[in-house]
């Protein structure tokens, strides 16, 4: 799935701190699923096929506001 096919719920695309969309963000897919972009975390070993990412609380709060 291409990033362009998702709705970005967080972050300002023009923010100089987010060069080339590399900041933590939350996206919604056309099917209603949530995709989270963030720094890899090694808090624990997830099951095969899954991964852990870490995002700031402010990003999650912004996504919740965007969802209404």
């Amino acid at each position: 799935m291409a990033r362009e096919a998702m709705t970005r719920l967080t972050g300002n695309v023009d923010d100089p701190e987010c060069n080339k969309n590399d900041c933590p963000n939350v996206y919604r897919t056309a099917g209603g699923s949530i995709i989270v972009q963030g720094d890899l975390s090694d808090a624990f070993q997830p099951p095969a096929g899954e991964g852990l990412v870490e995002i700031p609380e402010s990003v999650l709060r912004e996504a919740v506001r965007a969802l209404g």
Side-chain angles (χ1 to χ4, degrees):
M1 171 183 321
R3 187 188 316 235
E4 294 78 24
M6 296 182 280
T7 302
R8 186 173 175 170
L9 301 175
T10 59
N12 180 348
V13 179
D14 299 322
D15 185 345
E17 297 291 317
C18 293
N19 188 19
K20 298 182 183 176
N21 292 319
D22 63 353
C23 286
N25 281 297
V26 178
Y27 300 86
R28 181 171 35 188
T29 68
S33 297
I34 300 295
I35 303 289
V36 177
Q37 174 187 352
D39 294 328
L40 289 177
S41 173
D42 60 0
F44 63 89
Q45 184 64 41
E50 295 184 4
L52 301 176
V53 297
E54 187 171 342
I55 61 170
E57 181 180 330
S58 60
V59 173
L60 188 55
R61 288 180 182 277
E62 184 179 350
V64 170
R65 280 193 300 274
L67 290 170

